[in-house]
Amino acid sequence: MQQNKNGIARIAAVAVAAPLLALTTATSASASATANRVSWQNVQTGKCLNWENTWNGGVQIAVGGCSRSGPVDVSQWRATSDGKYWTYRPSRTTNSGDWTNVCLTSYNTLVYLETCQDGNWWQQWEEIWTPSGWKLKHRGDGQVAGYFLDTNGSSLYTEPGNQGLYQVWK
């Protein structure tokens, strides 16, 4: 059975949340939001897949130090799945309190954030377990099939799969 980082986090969250459910429904809503948060740290560089605010109020992709202490830290992503593929959104709220509606996207070898679109294959990622950690495989479109999220420590891109640890995340 293939392991899944988000699935494991959900099981742990349910184990913690179930006893608290009897105490209050507000706690269970918080636990549910926690179950969808994930962060990715590169095994080779030790740097995290981050998002950062831009000067004009937007958000962009970045790689850098890891910040996971709060629910809206730059290394936190909100993950949703259709059962096989994952979509990652920055764990960031707008001034009105709504979640930012941009998704981790890859086209060819470029990695960036753009407005989320249901069913957009360029915004879908498969989590693949390896003995060294997780590989994030971009779904592609059949023409450019399944490149992996990769980093050199200062930028993010996708490349065909290889045995190096620059494509492995924990």
Side-chain angles (χ1 to χ4, degrees), residues 70-117:
V72 187
D73 283 329
V74 297
S75 300
Q76 297 284 354
W77 296 83
R78 292 179 299 117
T80 56
S81 177
D82 65 3
K84 180 174 182 177
Y85 296 102
W86 291 90
T87 302
Y88 302 105
R89 292 172 169 84
S91 184
R92 174 185 184 262
T93 55
T94 62
N95 289 340
S96 63
D98 297 324
W99 289 108
T100 301
N101 190 35
V102 293
C103 287
L104 181 65
T105 307
S106 179
Y107 182 76
N108 292 332
T109 61
L110 302 174
V111 177
Y112 52 94
L113 295 171
E114 74 175 8
T115 302
C116 299
Q117 303 162 353

Side-chain angles (χ1 to χ4, degrees), residues 19-109:
L20 298 177
L21 184 59
L23 299 176
T24 176
T25 57
T27 303
S28 66
S30 175
S32 175
T34 302
N36 290 330
R37 281 196 325 237
V38 65
S39 63
W40 295 106
Q41 184 175 15
N42 186 265
V43 169
Q44 183 68 38
T45 67
K47 294 186 177 180
C48 278
L49 171 63
N50 291 341
W51 55 270
E52 61 187 17
N53 295 316
T54 60
W55 65 271
N56 62 354
V59 62
Q60 66 186 14
I61 196 78
V63 63
C66 301
S67 176
R68 303 182 192 114
S69 60
V72 187
D73 283 329
V74 297
S75 300
Q76 297 284 354
W77 296 83
R78 292 179 299 117
T80 56
S81 177
D82 65 3
K84 180 174 182 177
Y85 296 102
W86 291 90
T87 302
Y88 302 105
R89 292 172 169 84
S91 184
R92 174 185 184 262
T93 55
T94 62
N95 289 340
S96 63
D98 297 324
W99 289 108
T100 301
N101 190 35
V102 293
C103 287
L104 181 65
T105 307
S106 179
Y107 182 76
N108 292 332
T109 61

Side-chain angles (χ1 to χ4, degrees), residues 143-157:
Q143 301 285 330
V144 182
Y147 280 14
F148 291 85
L149 185 63
D150 207 328
T151 185
N152 58 13
S154 60
S155 61
L156 292 159
Y157 43 89

